[in-house]
Amino acid sequence: MVLPDIPKPLYEQLENEIRNHIISGDYSYGKKIPSEKTLMEKFGISRVTVRKAIDNLCKDGLLEKKQGKGTFVKSVKIKDRLDSIHGFTDSLNKNGRWPRKIIIEKSYKSPDERIRRELKIDADELIIYLKRVLLDGGSPYMIDESFYSAKKFPGLFDKINNKSSTYKLLEQDYQTCLAKSYKEISIVVADKLVQEELNCSIDEPLFYIHKIVYDVDDNPVQVSNMKVLGTRVTYSIESIEGSSYMNHTVDPQS
């Protein structure tokens, strides 16, 4: 909402309004935003004010103008580090982006042998299974399947929702300090189920990441399997060799 009687300049208010629409997914990546005339009429502001707000958002890399077509939400690749233990939400938040999470399934399950072994739990123990789709700017880009010990984290099941950060819950409610992670990464292609969940094409290249997160005592905390659109994400790894630093970028389409 743009209000003329508050101290913040009108163009800044409009910038925030458009940003919020992008964050919520109302204006999704690659889609056209309302015209200057529509924004002028909707908020009762001048064309100069609208243009200044749009120009600033273009400079910030959120919008782009296309000659003769209008102004569109710019589709920017998400950048994340493979050598970080932080979740996608934390990585995006640090870059000024606020993704949404939608829980597809949350249930108690009996683990298969691999998950049981990696979580180091007994055969008769149940796990918390969490499947979510992550969206950035209203567009889905990742399916995340996570597994936690129900015995080790009593009550966690009820605390998890679309707005919660599971890592923050583990750290704050269970005093679990996340210390390191092990990741295996490979390239797969989308099947019919992933096509529906990520709104992508069949056989589109995906990053498949299998991750185990450990606490400071080297105990496994979480196992997860992630399928990530290669067209939306770029991963980097920073390694040290002597006194030099090397930055490696992973691209599934190269």
Side-chain angles (χ1 to χ4, degrees):
M1 181 178 294
V2 177
L3 300 173
D5 55 346
I6 66 173
K8 182 176 287 188
L10 294 177
Y11 72 87
E12 287 188 15
Q13 293 184 51
L14 181 57
E15 285 180 41
N16 290 335
E17 184 77 13
I18 294 173
R19 285 179 190 272
N20 289 335
H21 279 296
I22 294 173
I23 291 170
S24 68
D26 294 335
Y27 301 162
S28 58
Y29 289 130
K31 300 298 183 181
K32 185 178 179 180
I33 70 167
S35 66
E36 290 183 0
K37 183 179 180 181
T38 300
L39 292 172
M40 289 166 56
E41 293 175 350
K42 180 178 180 180
F43 297 109
I45 53 181
S46 69
R47 186 179 297 274
V48 172
T49 299
V50 172
R51 285 186 175 175
K52 186 168 185 178
I54 290 175
D55 286 344
N56 286 344
L57 291 171
C58 286
K59 290 177 183 177
D60 290 343
L62 289 177
L63 300 178
E64 60 180 341
K65 294 180 180 179
K66 296 183 180 180
Q67 188 68 34
K69 294 183 178 180
T71 304
F72 295 76
V73 180
K74 191 173 183 179
S75 182
V76 181
K77 269 200 168 187
I78 299 165
K79 294 182 179 180
D80 194 29
R81 295 178 61 91
L82 279 175
D83 51 354
S84 170
I85 66 171
H86 296 291
F88 258 95
T89 301
D90 293 332
S91 297
L92 286 169
N93 290 169
K94 289 178 181 178
N95 288 287
R97 299 167 76 165
W98 302 90
R100 288 192 299 136
K101 296 169 286 189
I102 299 176
I103 295 174
I104 299 175
E105 181 181 349
K106 184 176 73 166
S107 60
Y108 290 107
K109 288 188 175 184
S110 297
D112 61 27
E113 176 58 27
R114 180 176 183 179
I115 299 299
R116 186 196 66 76
R117 184 178 67 254
E118 291 177 337
L119 283 178
K120 295 183 180 179
I121 60 177
D122 296 331
D124 59 346
E125 284 188 42
L126 292 177
I127 58 166
I128 297 170
Y129 171 73
L130 179 64
K131 184 177 183 180
R132 299 176 296 182
V133 59
L134 276 71
L135 303 93
D136 181 38
S139 300
Y141 66 91
M142 180 173 77
I143 298 295
D144 179 17
E145 294 181 283
S146 294
F147 310 85
Y148 307 88
S149 166
K151 180 179 179 180
K152 185 174 183 178
F153 302 112
L156 177 62
F157 184 91
D158 294 325
K159 296 175 186 285
I160 296 173
N161 56 55
N162 285 330
K163 294 184 178 180
S164 63
S165 166
T166 312
Y167 284 1
K168 287 183 179 178
L169 287 174
L170 294 173
E171 292 173 342
Q172 296 174 3
D173 293 12
Y174 298 91
Q175 291 72 55
T176 299
C177 183
L178 307 179
K180 69 176 184 179
S181 66
Y182 167 81
K183 296 176 184 176
E184 295 176 356
I185 183 168
S186 57
I187 305 300
V188 298
V189 294
D191 57 20
K192 185 170 179 56
L193 178 60
V194 172
Q195 177 194 31
E196 295 172 354
E197 292 173 335
L198 292 181
N199 192 27
C200 64
S201 59
I202 287 282
D203 295 335
E204 182 161 339
L206 308 167
F207 289 110
Y208 178 79
I209 302 171
H210 180 72
K211 179 173 73 170
I212 309 172
V213 177
Y214 298 87
D215 64 18
V216 291
D217 296 316
D218 215 27
N219 297 311
V221 173
Q222 175 208 39
V223 173
S224 64
N225 296 319
M226 296 169 280
K227 292 179 180 178
V228 189
L229 285 176
T231 54
R232 294 292 310 281
V233 179
T234 295
Y235 287 106
S236 65
I237 307 169
E238 188 173 50
S239 58
I240 302 175
E241 185 174 344
S243 60
S244 63
Y245 287 82
M246 296 183 296
N247 195 51
H248 305 279
T249 299
V250 183
D251 190 334
Q253 301 187 84
S254 62

